[in-house]
Amino acid sequence: MSIVAIVGRPNVGKSTLFNRLVGMRQAIVDQIAGVTRDRHYGRCEWNGKEFSVIDTGGYAVNSDDVFEEEIRKQVLLAIEEADLIMFMCDVHTGITDYDSVIAEVLRKTKKPVLLVANKVDTSDRMFDIHQFHAFGLGEPWPIASANGSGTGDLLDKLLELLPEDAPEEEKRDLPHIAIVGKPNVGKSSLTNALLGQDRNIVTPVAGTTRDSISSYYNKFGHEFMLVDTAGLRKKNRVKEDLEFYSVMRSVRAIEYSDVCILMIDAQEGIEHQDMSIFNLIIRNRKGCVIVVNKWDTIENKESNTMKEFTATIKQRIAPFVDIPIIFTSVINKQRILDVLNEAAKVYQNKTKRVPTSKLNDVMLPEIEKYPPPAIKGKYIKIKFVTQLPTPSPSFAFFCNLPQYVRDDYKRYLENRLRENFDFHGVPIQLFMRQK
């Protein structure tokens, strides 16, 4: 899936456009209850084409005093990760020094750039867009992101410029497993340990572009494609923008994967960046294994330390807590094989198909034992359940009043499905449909 990054100086309307584009998608895809959507990442669908959108706004460290170098750094990161860059300007204020800095960087890229003139909310403003021809980045596209004016034409043009999706990779029938996480948690070391070779991932080389998206793995009875997220990068670009870096790097890898191994640092615990990546995994409905790395660095381990750490993680990731959590020391090669075994089990759970007859034999008695609570004196009767033909487990429950089934009862149904059919490590979607 292609990635579109929205860049521009502060207060030109990047987030407003982002929210409008992602809002189109939200009407199509049900969000998982309890998962907070990260404002900086979303998905959009237009004319049957789906793509990811990333808002670079809000990532600057010095948000009250934005420096020229900080903006340049964000644009460089966006150029490296995105397939198309949408450069946004404001017709009210015209061309500023910050706009010129961004345009200078974008002129050097070989990736497609779509120049967007925002806040064109009157016919008089149409004449003001011509000043942006000075950037040398092509025709400026007039929009008003606040009310949506011009966004349809903009998206039509965007689809023209987006590169064709890469063909499905070889061995697509094999599981695709991605190692994701924030920088310096041991992703590179785990990749090298699994592949049994040093791929020069640990030591970044300046100016090297990302290598192939995945590597073939066939050892210890496991065969899969390892999706590489620890690609090569200039260190000085990411020193201060670690969250932007880890989210940008993770988006594509997560979308290419079936199961994600989310690595966190035992010394730091589960932090905001880890939660951002975890939410990406769940929103994309991928299998997940959480690996707590550098466990050897925790001193004075008591018998309940691991149990307490596990409880803390589950408290942060609730309500989706049915996830394997493994404590490793990659540098000492401890429990690496356990990680692979769990990832393989999660993949099996993700691709599991439950026969409709068995599903109804098990779930209808569970529903009869604890029926949906009545709403406004109306009784809800669920008569039939079936698994839908989707890449990740999703189930349709047919009933007389689907609109009245509450979220807490859906969680009850999900828990019964997990309890009876073992969907450990995999997000489940439930749909209530009219009988």
Side-chain angles (χ1 to χ4, degrees):
M1 187 183 301
S2 300
I3 295 178
V4 174
I6 306 174
V7 303
R9 60 182 174 80
N11 302 319
V12 293
K14 298 189 300 295
S15 296
T16 307
L17 178 61
F18 170 84
N19 288 335
R20 182 167 291 281
L21 296 181
V22 173
M24 296 174 184
R25 173 73 194 183
Q26 285 179 329
I28 300 167
V29 176
D30 289 351
Q31 298 293 340
I32 296 169
V35 176
T36 305
R37 187 177 61 79
D38 191 336
R39 183 178 69 84
H40 306 300
Y41 163 83
R43 295 163 91 179
C44 177
E45 183 176 306
W46 184 254
N47 287 346
K49 172 92 170 179
E50 193 178 28
F51 55 91
S52 296
V53 188
I54 292 182
D55 172 18
T56 60
Y59 284 105
V61 175
N62 303 291
S63 56
D64 295 326
D65 185 16
V66 180
F67 293 104
E68 184 175 299
E69 181 57 31
E70 199 61 53
I71 291 179
R72 185 189 297 269
K73 193 191 310 180
Q74 286 194 27
V75 176
L76 288 170
L77 283 166
I79 288 171
E80 186 169 351
E81 296 302 330
D83 297 297
L84 180 143
I85 297 95
M86 198 182 288
F87 175 28
M88 237 178 147
C89 302
D90 180 349
V91 293
H92 281 216
T93 52
I95 296 176
T96 68
D97 291 343
Y98 289 139
D99 293 316
S100 299
V101 167
I102 297 169
E104 181 186 358
V105 176
L106 291 176
R107 278 196 297 271
K108 296 174 183 175
T109 183
K110 294 180 180 177
K111 294 190 177 178
V113 176
L114 188 54
L115 178 58
V116 181
N118 192 27
K119 304 183 185 177
V120 183
D121 41 21
T122 64
S123 55
D124 294 341
R125 294 289 179 193
M126 285 295 294
F127 297 103
D128 297 332
I129 70 170
H130 299 295
Q131 62 186 307
F132 298 117
H133 281 105
F135 291 144
L137 292 170
E139 187 73 26
W141 284 81
I143 68 163
S145 59
N147 61 26
S149 172
T151 50
D153 292 338
L154 175 70
L155 285 168
D156 289 339
K157 183 63 179 177
L158 185 148
L159 294 190
E160 284 179 29
L161 295 176
L162 268 185
E164 289 294 319
D165 286 335
E168 286 293 299
E169 297 166 37
E170 294 180 19
K171 304 181 188 291
R172 181 64 246 189
D173 55 327
L174 292 179
H176 280 54
I177 296 177
I179 302 172
V180 297
K182 63 187 181 184
N184 305 319
V185 293
K187 299 191 302 297
S188 305
S189 301
L190 179 57
T191 302
N192 289 339
L194 291 177
L195 295 173
Q197 56 183 319
D198 208 353
R199 299 188 64 205
N200 201 26
I201 295 173
V202 178
T203 307
V205 179
T208 308
T209 55
R210 182 176 56 236
D211 56 2
S212 60
I213 194 78
S214 53
S215 307
Y216 177 60
Y217 181 92
N218 187 7
K219 292 180 182 177
F220 306 111
H222 294 286
E223 186 181 19
F224 58 83
M225 302 299 289
L226 186 66
V227 183
D228 183 14
T229 67
L232 314 182
R233 174 184 298 282
K234 283 186 179 179
K235 273 187 177 175
N236 63 346
R237 287 193 193 171
V238 301
K239 187 168 61 177
E240 296 178 7
D241 270 315
L242 289 181
E243 182 169 1
F244 184 39
Y245 152 65
S246 53
V247 172
M248 286 285 281
R249 177 61 81 187
S250 299
V251 167
R252 192 188 302 272
I254 289 169
E255 290 178 345
Y256 267 93
S257 71
D258 297 303
V259 177
C260 296
I261 297 170
L262 172 59
M263 297 188 74
I264 64 176
D265 191 317
Q267 291 183 310
E268 298 174 0
I270 186 161
E271 298 185 319
H272 175 72
Q273 279 176 259
D274 303 306
M275 286 303 301
S276 293
I277 297 172
F278 176 75
N279 288 340
L280 284 175
I281 295 168
I282 304 311
R283 195 175 316 122
N284 282 279
R285 294 181 291 285
K286 307 296 184 180
C288 184
V289 177
I290 293 179
V291 172
V292 182
N293 192 31
K294 306 182 185 178
W295 191 243
D296 56 303
T297 62
I298 302 296
E299 298 176 0
N300 303 320
K301 294 190 190 75
E302 297 178 2
S303 58
N304 61 348
T305 305
M306 200 175 284
K307 187 184 292 185
E308 290 175 357
F309 209 103
T310 301
T312 302
I313 291 174
K314 289 192 173 184
Q315 186 179 7
R316 290 293 306 276
I317 65 175
F320 179 36
V321 296
D322 187 20
I323 288 181
I325 300 172
I326 302 171
F327 295 81
T328 67
S329 169
V330 172
I331 200 166
N332 294 329
K333 306 282 178 72
Q334 288 179 347
R335 291 186 281 275
I336 291 178
L337 196 54
D338 290 351
V339 175
L340 290 184
N341 291 337
E342 283 296 337
K345 287 179 190 173
V346 169
Y347 177 73
Q348 289 175 358
N349 293 342
K350 184 176 184 293
T351 54
K352 182 182 297 180
R353 300 289 308 171
V354 183
T356 301
S357 58
K358 186 176 180 183
L359 203 53
N360 283 275
D361 288 345
V362 171
M363 290 304 293
L364 292 183
E366 294 280 10
I367 293 167
E368 192 175 339
K369 191 191 318 178
Y370 178 50
I375 303 283
K376 300 176 183 177
K378 296 180 179 179
Y379 291 91
I380 302 163
K381 295 179 181 178
I382 299 175
K383 295 291 187 183
F384 182 73
V385 55
T386 187
Q387 185 173 358
L388 300 173
T390 51
S392 60
S394 56
F395 299 87
F397 289 80
F398 291 86
C399 57
N400 58 335
L401 299 167
Q403 69 274 24
Y404 289 137
V405 181
R406 297 189 328 206
D407 286 342
D408 56 351
Y409 191 76
K410 289 179 185 177
R411 279 194 290 274
Y412 165 78
L413 293 175
E414 180 180 333
N415 290 337
R416 297 293 75 75
L417 284 167
R418 292 185 180 282
E419 189 179 284
N420 288 288
F421 301 109
D422 185 14
F423 288 104
H424 191 46
V426 184
I428 294 177
Q429 278 190 300
L430 301 186
F431 298 95
M432 297 296 155
R433 292 187 174 171
Q434 188 73 41
K435 183 176 63 175

